[in-house]
Amino acid sequence: MQITETQAQIRDTARRFAEREIAPHAADWDRAAETPRALYRKMADAGLMGITVAPEHGGSGAEFLSYVLAIEEIAAADGGISNMMGATNSPVAVAIEENGTDQQKRDYLTRLTGGDWLGCIHLTEPHTGSDAAAIRTRAVRDGDHFVLNGDKAFITGGATAELAMIVAVTNPSAGKRGITTFITPTDNPGYQVIRKEAKLGHRTNDTCQVRFENMRVPASDVLGKPGSGLRIALSKLSEGRIAVAAQAVGGARAALKAARAYAQTRETFGKPIIDHQAIGFKLAEMATQIEAARQLYVHAAQLKDRGEACAREASMAKLFASEMAERVASEAIQIHGGAGFLNDYPVEKIYRDVRVYQIYEGTSEVQKIVISRFLDDLDL
């Protein structure tokens, strides 16, 4: 993997931040099911909440590869926190930078990159996930406002974030071209958190069901042009999948690190278990799978930075990395034996956190559908 000096600096900054500010507290925050809000302000101070956003809007102005290298480092310390970082960086901040008005950038973008606000995206609904065009939330024009009604599900940061990016139908007869994206503060009176989900993993960020009940949003807070909402929401699909692959690599790397450390100190039959071929080979296979997954996501990110098509490579990276992470975390538990089943050791939490990577940003099954569409393009 060849990266620039700047990319390495951003990666190393994220690693130091993760090791100092997150890793020592992650288990406690997981048990409490909450993370101190001040952490994200510190993350912004480190330049991690607007990595690809231009400096004029408070960002670092770095390439996409820098962003995913950084998110791997945060995910190695905690998956849920990396997810909040991801939602705020992209799609929310990036979507505003690329599609927002000057006023929207002044009002919202600099608050996101400065860590004063977190962002959340409202796309998924109780009845639809990957089929984003099937959303039912409605936005009806009423003078200088739109009135929104509908339900959203599985919203990362739905109760914590201060800014919501919402995808809703404004013209039901226009199909995909009748969908519009809005941005609004979550203290809008019509914004209601109906339920905070109790989850297997990623307990350090909230995941919510949210209802919009006659929620009024000024027409000035339409993001982009009316009818372009689905394009805006889905334009970052490949980037989101690359970022999930990076998260998966981070989680798997943490599992390998914990398993190696345990294997070096746990002794059976007169020697550390790492010296038993059965364990040494497990660790070797885990390390190889992690490196293969990293190369896949880095390649996809580099294609994106060069402006080349990367949908196939993004889906391949996410498919392989997300499934790899569960395998590696499972093997890490196996290496720990009975201790791995206890929350005294980190691998139990890691296993819970990495499982979701096969689900969000498109399930493994969806990734296979995408990849299958490119089979004729393969140089076989």
Side-chain angles (χ1 to χ4, degrees):
M1 180 178 72
Q2 293 184 338
I3 60 176
T4 67
E5 182 178 347
T6 298
Q7 290 164 350
Q9 288 174 346
I10 292 173
R11 179 200 61 193
D12 294 345
T13 295
R15 178 173 294 186
R16 287 192 298 269
F17 184 92
E19 291 176 346
R20 182 180 67 250
E21 302 289 349
I22 300 175
H25 313 291
D28 290 337
W29 293 341
D30 175 76
R31 295 184 188 106
E34 63 180 355
T35 301
R37 183 63 180 77
L39 176 75
Y40 296 104
R41 294 188 181 93
K42 292 181 180 179
M43 194 177 289
D45 290 341
L48 300 175
M49 296 304 282
I51 293 176
T52 65
V53 174
E56 64 207 68
H57 302 305
S60 300
E63 303 93 343
F64 179 73
L65 178 56
S66 296
Y67 164 60
V68 289
L69 289 171
I71 208 167
E72 178 192 328
E73 299 300 329
I74 301 301
D78 184 82
I81 292 170
S82 75
N83 215 23
M84 284 300 303
M85 171 189 170
T88 300
N89 269 273
S90 179
V92 181
V94 171
I96 294 173
E97 182 180 42
E98 293 182 352
N99 302 280
T101 64
D102 290 341
Q103 188 64 47
Q104 288 170 341
K105 292 172 185 177
R106 286 193 296 270
D107 289 347
Y108 302 132
L109 183 54
T110 55
R111 293 182 180 182
L112 294 172
T113 58
D116 297 319
W117 282 12
L118 296 173
C120 57
I121 179 168
H122 293 253
L123 179 62
T124 302
E125 299 187 352
H127 67 284
T128 184
S130 296
D131 185 8
I135 63 174
R136 297 175 184 169
T137 296
R138 295 290 185 261
V140 178
R141 186 73 183 248
D142 181 21
D144 293 334
H145 289 73
F146 283 85
V147 180
L148 275 65
N149 284 280
D151 291 278
K152 297 293 184 177
F154 303 112
I155 306 304
T156 297
T160 303
E162 288 83 7
L163 185 68
M165 174 178 163
I166 302 165
V167 183
V169 177
T170 49
N171 184 356
S173 64
K176 295 179 179 179
R177 295 193 175 117
I179 297 173
T180 300
T181 295
F182 300 84
I183 47 177
T184 191
T186 57
D187 62 2
N188 188 316
Y191 185 100
Q192 301 177 12
V193 176
I194 301 301
R195 171 186 170 92
K196 288 186 180 180
E197 306 292 355
K199 299 174 295 181
L200 175 70
H202 283 220
R203 296 176 181 174
T204 50
N205 75 268
D206 59 284
T207 302
C208 301
Q209 182 176 343
V210 176
R211 176 168 297 157
F212 312 128
E213 191 165 317
N214 295 321
M215 184 173 75
R216 298 181 68 83
V217 177
S220 59
D221 276 344
V222 168
L223 186 61
K225 297 180 180 179
S228 65
L230 197 61
R231 175 192 61 77
I232 291 172
L234 299 185
S235 65
K236 300 302 174 187
L237 203 57
S238 290
E239 287 94 321
R241 289 170 177 171
I242 298 168
V244 175
Q247 287 180 296
V249 169
R253 198 184 86 204
L256 174 60
K257 182 178 179 180
R260 183 187 63 185
Y262 186 82
Q264 288 171 335
T265 58
R266 173 79 166 113
E267 292 188 2
T268 62
F269 306 105
K271 59 183 178 180
I273 62 173
I274 197 169
D275 292 337
H276 294 291
Q277 189 178 76
I279 303 301
F281 278 16
K282 278 184 186 292
L283 292 166
E285 290 170 359
M286 292 157 69
T288 302
Q289 290 182 59
I290 291 169
E291 185 58 28
R294 182 182 286 113
Q295 295 297 334
L296 281 170
Y297 94 65
V298 167
H299 173 59
Q302 289 173 330
L303 288 176
K304 190 272 175 190
D305 279 333
R306 293 199 298 266
E308 299 180 31
C310 62
R312 179 185 69 186
E313 290 79 5
S315 286
M316 286 180 169
K318 183 189 184 292
L319 174 64
F320 182 81
S322 63
E323 297 194 347
M324 173 278 300
E326 185 183 8
R327 290 194 301 271
V328 167
S330 180
E331 289 285 49
I333 290 175
Q334 192 71 18
I335 289 169
H336 280 71
F341 204 64
L342 308 178
N343 63 17
D344 296 345
Y345 291 85
V347 290
E348 173 267 345
K349 175 184 179 297
I350 295 169
Y351 185 84
R352 289 188 286 105
D353 280 348
V354 301
R355 183 58 182 87
V356 75
Y357 298 138
Q358 297 175 55
I359 299 173
Y360 64 43
E361 291 288 348
T363 63
S364 290
E365 291 73 22
V366 166
Q367 305 314 315
K368 292 174 184 177
I369 291 172
V370 173
I371 295 165
S372 70
R373 292 171 180 163
F374 291 97
L375 292 178
D376 290 342
D377 298 333
L378 296 175
D379 184 14
L380 303 175

